[in-house]
Amino acid sequence: METPFAQVTDDLIKGRELATQLQGLLRDSPKSGLIMDRILHAFSRSIHAAKAAVATSERASSDVQSEVIDGVSGGGKRKPASAAAGGNRRACRRSRTQQSSVVFTKSIKSLDDGHAWRKYGQKEIHNSKHSRAYFRCTHKYDQLCAAQRQVQRCDDDEGMFRVTYIGVHTCRDPAAAVAPHVLHLTGTAEGMHAGCRLISFAPGGAAATTHDATASTTTNANLVDKDAATGSGRQGMKPESGDQEEVLSSRTPGNSAPRSTAPAATAPAWPDQGDVTSTRQYGGAVSFGEYLDDYTSLGDLASYVLDH
DNA sequence: CACATTTGACCGGC
DNA sequence: GCCGGTCAAATGTG
């Protein structure tokens, strides 16, 4: 049986072949050529990662943390909250087992993954020292993007965060997608604070690379519960805090957010920057999350090329 | 004013 | 009944 990863691998290989052909056609445009190089590089990395995932999943299908769940629609509904005090809570919450799609977890040092997230909740988790923050894509409503993620500081290594992604981005957030890379290349990162150096697949190598210092542990380890994930509003996320945070913000959600706010996607006190650092969850050296990052970015890059 | 975060309450699953 | 995920009113910020 073919695992989803195997299928993805096949698709990626085909994609790389097509990209190669496209590169030939775009030879005359230096800019496009540059982007094509990046696309090819990303394809290669993704293929490599996907293969690793295939190998891993074949032998460890049981204890994987990443999994693909069949998207279900329908919904788990709750009864009309007529009762209770507060009364009118919407009854349309989806049950957690039904929301679906791709779910994977990874441990990272910084939280910026290039997407604009909006925090919608935070919870103390039993048996965990730190609370867990819940984020949904900023474009959940305007673009019906179903991506969500949960962020929780690791108990054993406070400089690391365990991030669980649920669903994949279906939104087209230009800033999130291409920007980090392209802007970095072209040097137009104006106003994007640091937006720049983040993100995964840096051409040279191993995206992850950056384990750079920035965050090595310490980072804001001082946050304590509450402040931890929060940092209240945007005040907390202001770049001022120095390195770790400058970041993320960078992007302003595509259309609808005139405001700056770029949700620090995360938590103010939390580091951001999305380098994908390891994750052993997937067993191997390559994390599925990392691969997914590239995978999604590929589409964005490709569309960018087509638009220009 | 628009939008993001905070936070207590609600609700389903176990 | 507990726990975790989500909602939505309140609040804050630019």
Side-chain angles (χ1 to χ4, degrees):
Chain A
M1 342 207 107
E2 190 178 36
T3 68
F5 302 131
Q7 184 176 348
V8 169
T9 303
D10 288 343
D11 288 344
L12 286 170
I13 291 172
K14 287 175 191 167
R16 184 172 58 180
E17 291 170 356
L18 292 171
T20 301
Q21 292 174 33
L22 187 58
Q23 185 179 39
L25 297 174
L26 296 173
R27 232 179 343 217
D28 297 335
S29 168
K31 193 172 178 182
S32 297
L34 190 61
I35 294 173
M36 285 308 303
D37 284 343
R38 296 177 71 80
I39 290 175
L40 288 171
H41 177 76
F43 264 122
S44 296
R45 256 177 56 79
S46 298
I47 290 169
H48 179 72
K51 285 178 178 176
V54 170
T56 305
S57 65
E58 286 174 351
R59 82 180 107 89
S61 54
S62 58
D63 63 320
V64 274
Q65 305 244 338
S66 298
E67 56 187 318
V68 175
I69 300 170
D70 232 24
V72 178
S73 48
K77 42 210 87 193
R78 332 161 89 158
K79 51 172 93 139
S82 49
N88 353 348
R89 292 282 188 189
R90 278 283 153 50
C92 53
R93 266 171 233 194
R94 286 193 295 174
S95 113
R96 101 194 70 143
T97 54
Q98 289 180 313
Q99 46 190 282
S100 87
S101 22
V102 178
V103 176
F104 66 92
T105 303
K106 62 183 179 184
S107 297
I108 59 177
K109 288 180 184 172
S110 56
L111 303 175
D112 179 26
D113 59 4
H115 285 283
W117 298 98
R118 177 169 173 177
K119 186 176 181 178
Y120 66 85
Q122 181 176 326
K123 267 275 195 189
E124 293 295 326
I125 300 301
H126 200 101
N127 287 330
S128 278
K129 290 189 282 189
H130 308 286
S131 55
R132 177 178 301 163
Y134 301 87
F135 298 86
R136 62 155 171 89
C137 178
T138 296
H139 305 295
K140 179 177 181 177
Y141 299 114
D142 60 342
Q143 293 182 40
L144 299 180
C145 179
Q148 289 179 294
R149 79 170 178 179
Q150 298 175 359
V151 179
Q152 184 172 15
R153 187 177 287 278
C154 293
D155 286 342
D156 47 332
D157 182 349
E158 316 226 327
M160 296 287 282
F161 296 88
R162 170 144 301 161
V163 182
T164 299
Y165 289 86
I166 301 168
V168 296
H169 284 276
T170 54
C171 61
R172 280 229 89 58
D173 181 345
V178 187
H181 318 293
V182 176
L183 290 177
H184 182 48
L185 286 175
T186 60
T188 31
E190 244 274 303
M192 305 213 36
H193 301 287
C196 9
R197 58 182 171 168
L198 2 158
I199 298 301
S200 19
F201 64 99
T209 69
T210 37
H211 8 94
D212 66 59
T214 30
S216 50
T217 93
T218 71
T219 340
N220 2 303
N222 39 352
L223 32 115
V224 191
D225 296 338
K226 233 173 192 200
D227 344 309
T230 51
S232 69
R234 21 179 148 270
Q235 51 228 72
M237 44 187 126
K238 297 196 109 207
E240 16 171 286
S241 348
D243 7 56
Q244 56 248 69
E245 266 71 287
E246 34 182 26
V247 122
L248 60 77
S249 28
S250 29
R251 59 208 109 270
T252 303
N255 7 352
S256 60
R259 240 16 161 171
S260 51
T261 41
T266 34
W270 309 23
D272 292 306
Q273 227 78 174
D275 42 322
V276 180
T277 326
S278 84
T279 302
R280 37 189 106 257
Q281 340 266 44
Y282 222 77
V286 183
S287 76
F288 182 57
E290 189 173 328
Y291 140 69
L292 253 190
D293 283 346
D294 281 353
Y295 193 43
T296 51
S297 296
L298 275 171
D300 296 326
L301 278 171
S303 61
Y304 178 84
V305 170
L306 293 176
D307 289 344
H308 294 68

